[in-house]
Amino acid sequence: MPMLDLARFPRLPLLTQPTPIEPLDGLTRHLGDTLNGVRIFVKRDDVAGIGLGGNKLRKLEYLLGAARAEGADTVVTVGAIQSNHARLTAAASAQAGLACELFLTRSVPRQDPDYTGNGNRLLDDVFGATVHELPGDADSLAAAEARAAELRGQGRRVYTFPSGGSSPTGCLGYANCAAEILSQADQLGLSFAQIITANGSAGTHAGFVAGLAAMGLDTTLAKSFAVLAEDARARAEVLEKANATLALIGSERRVSPQDINLDGTHRGSGYGIPTDGMLEAVRLMARTEGKLLDPVYSGKAFAGLLHDVRAGLYPAGSSVLFLMTGGTPGLFAYKEALAG
Ligand SMILES: Cc1ncc(COP(=O)(O)O)c(C=O)c1O
């Protein structure tokens, strides 16, 4: 069994691990032969301990671990108005006793109250974060760094991290998760043909790639569906973050463009803009499994997986694993698209 030892990195536990791996029996019964004999499993990173959960908690375990090790009293991060990362940073900071400031850009062209005030944005306030809203084209990271400098001038100890928590330190969470999945698959007697995730800020995919590479495995086992950046940019980001994470881990392995398995064909017309495939995926998962995808990330990624399975990309009898990344508060910001 390949091993990955990340014990030397400070970590603040935020979710019970390993998270479960479950078969989608209800969905399989419903879709029958159209799945071409492929078994779809889900990894439940959405059933997490605090703040309604989601993939950002694994990154925040290492980010807030590092913040605490550096003696920080405040964290500052960035995202879109409906950022799941921002909401979970607010929740985890509350639990850790850290002040939290969020710089949120209006990058999705919507001004209706569901989007601007419900879902994640509402929870940011409930968790007690200080929120700064910026225009869609603003450089939020620069604004966050400027604020961090200001707070440091007032004697505060500030730890900042980028969108999605996708710094090399944050990516450790999914390098660790790659090892966790392999060990669970071994125990379950399963061999996954593919591990699939949504890709926004690239850190989840990059963490998987770094973990697999550090364990000497084929990194194309992990595949992402890009929902934010255009394909070339998303691929470059995964590559850069995976190699930076490998360097942080102390591995000598490096990855190249052909090691990154990425598909951008289910993004639709843009980040945060609904697609028919996303709507079908969200409803199908809800109505056959009682499980929730989200409208911005996992809904589009699961639509991509369903497309691939229906198109016969995986041989009959193979098993694929879909990472449930949470993001359910986002559903409340998409009432109009999802109603009915
Ligand atoms: C619910 C959800 N799924 C998937 C992702 C994608 O993760 P990453 O930003 O690491 O690519 C995000 C965040 O961007 C998310 O909030």
Side-chain angles (χ1 to χ4, degrees), residues 55-56 59 84 164 166 198-204 294 297-298 325-327:
N55 63 330
K56 304 305 172 186
K59 300 178 187 179
N84 296 299
S166 293
N199 180 337
S201 64
T204 303
D294 83 282
Y297 301 93
S298 57
T325 47

Side-chain angles (χ1 to χ4, degrees), residues 199-202 205 224-239 260 262-273 300:
N199 180 337
S201 64
H205 189 178
S224 72
F225 286 95
V227 302
L228 176 58
E230 293 299 323
D231 296 17
R233 168 111 189 278
R235 191 179 300 279
E237 282 189 12
V238 176
L239 188 66
I260 309 301
L262 182 144
D263 182 341
T265 57
H266 295 270
R267 186 189 303 101
S269 58
Y271 173 73
I273 301 179
K300 288 185 179 179

Side-chain angles (χ1 to χ4, degrees), residues 139-151:
D139 183 345
S140 56
L141 204 52
E145 291 297 352
R147 175 66 177 153
E150 186 185 9
L151 289 168

Side-chain angles (χ1 to χ4, degrees), residues 131-277:
V131 178
H132 309 267
E133 292 194 8
L134 304 172
D137 58 356
D139 183 345
S140 56
L141 204 52
E145 291 297 352
R147 175 66 177 153
E150 186 185 9
L151 289 168
R152 286 183 190 116
Q154 296 165 10
R156 300 263 288 275
R157 297 177 68 93
V158 186
Y159 187 84
T160 61
F161 39 91
S163 172
S166 293
S167 67
T169 298
C171 292
L172 292 174
Y174 275 93
N176 202 30
C177 185
E180 181 178 304
I181 289 171
L182 294 178
S183 148
Q184 282 177 294
D186 193 48
Q187 284 162 19
L188 293 166
L190 290 168
S191 171
F192 292 117
Q194 199 87 87
I195 300 169
I196 295 118
T197 181
N199 180 337
S201 64
T204 303
H205 189 178
F208 276 151
V209 167
L212 292 168
M215 291 185 287
L217 300 171
D218 178 0
T219 59
T220 62
L221 176 62
K223 171 176 180 171
S224 72
F225 286 95
V227 302
L228 176 58
E230 293 299 323
D231 296 17
R233 168 111 189 278
R235 191 179 300 279
E237 282 189 12
V238 176
L239 188 66
E240 187 211 311
K241 289 174 201 288
N243 280 331
T245 308
L246 282 163
L248 179 65
I249 290 171
S251 166
E252 284 175 4
R253 276 247 357 231
R254 292 295 178 268
V255 288
S256 320
Q258 70 271 16
D259 299 318
I260 309 301
N261 188 352
L262 182 144
D263 182 341
T265 57
H266 295 270
R267 186 189 303 101
S269 58
Y271 173 73
I273 301 179
T275 61
D276 290 343

Side-chain angles (χ1 to χ4, degrees), residues 19-30:
T19 57
I21 289 182
E22 299 167 356
L24 292 182
D25 291 333
L27 181 124
T28 304
R29 257 195 317 274
H30 181 77

